[in-house]
Each structure stands twice: as C-alpha cells, then as structure tokens.
C-alpha cells in the first residue's frame, strides 16, 4: 500500500525538521492549538525511540502559550501506569512541544464504534474492568500534590471515550489534560468559555464553570452509561443537550438494554446525579464500587481486553507497524549522536510527512492528545 500524503490541513504552517532530539516521521493529528506527530529519537547502533510529539502551532499568541505550558507543567508531573507518560517538555526553533510515550492501540471511542458495526459491545465485566483502570489514573491526577504537599486540585474536564486509550497489550490509559483545571494554571477560563465536550459535561460545568473532581465523576458516569447501554446518552444539538443535562434525570440503562447488569447500572446512575453531593465522592469511590462488582470473577481481564483489541484491529495494527518500519528505514543511523544532522539529511521536506493508517477513530494509531476548547 503506498504511503498516504499528508493531509491538507495545516500545510501552510511550516513543520520543523526536528523537535529537540525528536525527528517527526508521520502526522497523527491536528487540533485548534497544536499539531501531533509520530517521531523518533535515533542514536548510535541503530537505537530507536518512538514518541508522540505535540507542538504548539502559534507561539506568538500569549494566551495559547500559557494554555500549552499549563498542560505541560501538569503532564510532566503525572507519573502513573494508567496515564500517558510525558518524556519531556521543550522548545525548538521558538516552538514549544511536549514529547509523550507512543502507545500501540486505539481509543475507547474507536473500539466502541468498530464493535457497533457488528451490533455488539463490551461485556459488562470488561466494561467494569476498563472503567476501573481508567478511574485509577483519574484518581491519581485528582490527588496530585505540589512539592510542598499542597493539593493541586486537578480536574480533567474532558473525560470521554476519545480520551481513554486501550493498548493492544490490554492497558488502559487516560489522555489529554489539555483543558484540565489545576492550581498550577497560569491562565484561567474566561467567563462564558466552556472547555471540553458538551455531551460529557456535568451540570455545574455548563453553569458558572466552577467545578471540582466530581465533575469528572459525572463525565465518567456518562461514559459508563453509554458502554452499558451501547448507545449515546445525550444526543442532539448543543442547546438541547445542555437543557437535558441541567434539567432531566437520566433514564435507566435497562430501558435500552434490559440484559445490562443492574449493579453497574446503579453505579452509573449515581455518578450521573445532577447534584455533586449525591454522586460518588471521588473517582476512587466509584472504582471501589466497580471492583466490588468484579470481585470473585477471577478472569484475566487484561488478557481478554488485549485479545479483543488485537482481533478487532488486526489489519490496522499490522498496517501501522509496516508503515513505521518503512519510515524508520528511511532515517539514517546517527553514529555521531547528532540527531539534528541525521534528520536534516533524511527529511528535507517535512511538509510532506505521510499519515498512518487509521482505524474507525479519526485519531489513527494514537488518538492525538490535542488541546480542545469550545466557546
């Protein structure tokens, strides 16, 4: 299969030949503030280190710079097995970038969409496992403290299936803290500005925007409800969705899927209470409830998830791996340790970077953690 040309989006913006020690070899995605690349750090004796590099588009806009650096300051502190790992934050040719681990897999959104084609979905037990693993990462972020022990008050504000990532090895990762609220933030949300995806926002997030970690619990309740019911919870245009979130109680899951677990349904419904005080007190409390449901089942859920991912995305997985081998073969070995020299030889026209094969999800092999924000 021939390499696909880079998409037209963002072509008028020059792509640097290197981002620090990282050489871009393919495009992964583009958002309002940033572009995302698959990159390689190549060293002596054919050493290769793949990474996902997110680069700020416009370093001349002080508001965008502050938002990007807010994200960088936070992600550099998030070190947990269920959160995508950040290698470093840097600047190259006057452009800020964040380098993160490359994950082989697909987003939860992509998996659900692919299973829906076959009129199926995740088993209730696997739903509980995936949700529990993601909540571990979310709870870690919520409990993060500064070096002096001061709570940082992290709220993700964009929990959704697009930002929950499943690897082919059966791991579950939380992505994209680009619009997170934290005490580290240099910038703050303007009045009237809503950040995140409206279908997954808590009522208080749609109001004055003053939220705590229980807003993420509500968003995760939407995710859990949708996984169990195998359909979207809130549908329609933005005003109608907002009206339903603020003014209506959520229908039971079994109204739409009678065979769904009543125990998991109860966990989802509690998370979806309009009053924060009536929800699970924390992401960890919600995880405890899910693990109580799984207790005694003694199934290898990580292997089950890995098997499902590899069976569902076998063709995409193999195509991506084949493309990456081709990309890496085109990069000369860096015997001198000077990655800049090697990349200048290999990539004279970085504006023509290819894209990788995509699954159902528009994010490709790794749903790009691109900052999003909607007025």
């Amino acid at each position: 299969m021939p390499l696909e040309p880079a998409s037209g989006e963002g072509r008028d913006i020059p792509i640097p030949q290197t981002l620090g020690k990282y050489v871009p070899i393919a495009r992964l995605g583009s958002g309002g503030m940033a572009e995302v690349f698959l990159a390689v750090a190549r060293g002596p004796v054919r050493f290769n280190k793949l990474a996902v590099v997110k680069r700020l588009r416009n370093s001349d806009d002080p508001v965008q710079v502050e938002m990007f650096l807010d994200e960088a300051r936070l992600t550099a502190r998030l070190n947990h097995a269920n959160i995508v790992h950040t290698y470093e934050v840097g600047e190259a040719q006057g452009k800020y970038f964040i380098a993160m681990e490359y994950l082989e897999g697909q987003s939860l959104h992509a998996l659900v969409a692919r299973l829906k084609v076959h009129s199926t979905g995740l088993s209730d037990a696997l739903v509980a496992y995936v949700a529990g693993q993601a909540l571990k990462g979310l709870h870690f972020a919520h409990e993060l403290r500064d070096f002096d022990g001061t709570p940082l008050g992290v709220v993700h504000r964009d929990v959704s299936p697009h930002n929950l990532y499943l690897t082919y090895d059966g791991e579950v990762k939380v992505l994209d803290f680009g619009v997170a609220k934290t005490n580290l933030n240099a910038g703050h949300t303007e009045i009237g500005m809503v950040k995140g995806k409206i279908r997954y926002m808590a009522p208080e997030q749609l109001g004055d925007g003053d939220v705590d970690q229980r807003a993420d619990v509500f968003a995760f309740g939407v995710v859990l409800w949708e996984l169990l019911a195998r359909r979207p919870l809130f549908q329609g245009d933005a005003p109608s969705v907002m009206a339903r979130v603020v003014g209506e109680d959520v229908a039971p899951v079994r109204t739409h899927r009678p065979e769904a677990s009543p125990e998991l349904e109860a966990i989802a419904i509690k998370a979806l209470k309009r009053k924060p005080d009536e929800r699970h007190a924390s992401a960890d409390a919600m995880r405890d409830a899910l693990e109580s449901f799984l207790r005694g089942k003694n199934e290898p859920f990580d292997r089950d998830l890995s098997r499902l991912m590899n069976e569902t995305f076998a063709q995409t997985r193999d195509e991506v791996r084949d493309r990456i081998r081709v990309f890496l073969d085109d990069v000369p070995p860096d015997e001198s340790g000077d990655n800049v020299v090697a990349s200048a030889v290999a990539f004279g026209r970085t504006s023509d970077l290819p894209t990788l094969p995509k699954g159902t999800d528009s994010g490709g092999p790794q749903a790009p953690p691109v900052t999003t924000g909607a007025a």
Side-chain angles (χ1 to χ4, degrees):
M1 184 181 295
L3 294 179
E4 300 173 11
S7 63
E9 183 180 8
R11 279 232 182 168
D12 56 331
I13 300 174
I15 303 172
Q17 289 181 329
T18 59
L19 292 162
K21 64 186 177 185
Y22 302 98
V23 183
I25 60 176
R27 289 181 181 273
L28 292 182
S30 181
M33 282 177 51
E35 291 185 308
V36 184
F37 307 99
L38 175 63
V40 60
R42 172 158 274 189
V45 295
R46 307 294 291 183
F47 170 80
N48 296 319
K49 179 74 171 181
L50 288 174
V52 171
V53 179
K54 176 178 179 178
R55 180 181 69 91
L56 180 65
R57 283 176 178 270
N58 183 9
S59 294
D60 296 326
D61 184 331
V63 174
Q64 290 194 16
V65 169
E66 284 302 328
M67 288 181 63
F68 192 82
L69 294 180
D70 281 344
E71 178 185 359
R73 281 185 282 265
L74 174 59
T75 56
R77 302 280 300 277
L78 295 171
N79 186 15
H80 189 273
N82 297 111
I83 299 177
V84 64
H85 182 64
T86 295
Y87 293 142
E88 66 174 288
V89 179
E91 182 183 3
Q93 293 92 38
K95 302 290 185 180
Y96 294 103
F97 69 89
I98 304 172
M100 298 163 282
E101 65 177 321
Y102 171 68
L103 301 171
E104 280 197 301
Q106 296 282 344
S107 71
L108 177 60
H109 170 76
L111 177 61
V112 169
R114 186 67 66 89
L115 294 177
K116 187 176 181 180
V117 172
H118 302 287
S119 300
T120 186
L122 295 170
S123 69
D124 286 356
L126 206 50
V127 165
Y129 172 76
V130 169
Q133 292 298 301
L135 285 165
K136 285 183 183 180
L138 200 58
H139 178 69
F140 174 86
H142 288 168
E143 294 298 304
L144 192 66
R145 293 175 177 267
D146 208 345
F147 298 113
D148 62 0
T150 304
L152 292 180
V154 176
V155 185
H156 189 288
R157 294 199 295 189
D158 198 13
V159 173
S160 72
H162 304 76
N163 291 331
L164 300 177
Y165 200 77
L166 313 176
T167 73
Y168 296 133
D169 292 330
E171 297 175 307
V172 182
K173 304 265 188 174
V174 180
L175 298 177
D176 199 350
F177 285 79
V179 297
K181 174 187 174 183
T182 167
N183 297 337
L184 286 173
N185 287 6
H188 301 279
T189 301
E190 299 88 350
I191 296 175
M193 178 67 70
V194 177
K195 293 185 176 182
K197 299 177 183 67
I198 290 178
R199 279 177 49 196
Y200 297 92
M201 288 185 183
E204 64 271 22
Q205 195 172 349
L206 293 170
D208 57 16
D210 185 16
V211 300
D212 61 22
Q213 289 89 342
R214 292 170 296 181
D216 286 345
V217 170
F218 183 95
F220 214 97
V222 180
V223 174
L224 181 59
W225 191 100
E226 293 183 340
L227 290 175
L228 293 171
R230 300 179 182 177
R231 68 186 299 275
L233 174 54
F234 299 114
Q235 302 182 71
D237 57 22
S240 63
V241 168
M242 294 172 71
R244 289 189 59 198
V245 170
V246 173
E248 295 182 10
D249 292 331
V250 174
V253 171
R254 287 179 293 165
T255 300
H256 305 282
R257 183 172 163 255
E259 67 273 23
S261 161
E263 293 90 346
L264 294 182
E265 176 188 65
I267 295 170
I269 294 299
K270 183 172 182 178
L272 289 166
K273 295 295 184 181
R274 281 179 285 164
K275 295 181 179 179
D277 290 342
E278 296 178 359
R279 300 172 199 155
H280 304 281
S282 66
D284 204 43
M286 188 174 180
R287 180 188 62 82
D288 281 344
L290 292 167
E291 292 191 348
S292 294
F293 169 79
L294 291 174
R295 196 166 293 125
K297 290 184 169 51
N298 298 321
E299 296 179 32
F301 295 113
D302 55 342
R303 281 185 284 175
D304 291 345
L305 179 59
S306 175
R307 187 182 307 111
L308 176 63
M309 290 295 295
N310 281 282
E311 290 174 351
T312 304
F313 295 102
Q315 181 177 350
T316 301
R317 178 203 61 205
D318 293 343
E319 287 180 0
V320 169
R321 289 174 177 174
D322 289 343
R323 294 283 184 94
I324 290 176
R325 290 190 196 99
V326 172
F327 298 156
L328 293 179
D329 286 343
D330 288 340
V331 183
D334 182 15
E335 302 299 341
S336 67
D338 187 353
N339 283 297
V340 176
V341 174
S343 67
V345 174
F347 297 101
R349 294 187 304 150
T350 49
S351 59
D352 291 328
L353 283 174
T355 57
L356 286 171
K358 297 177 181 179
T360 306
D361 184 31
S362 60
Q366 170 162 319
V370 177
T371 299
T372 57

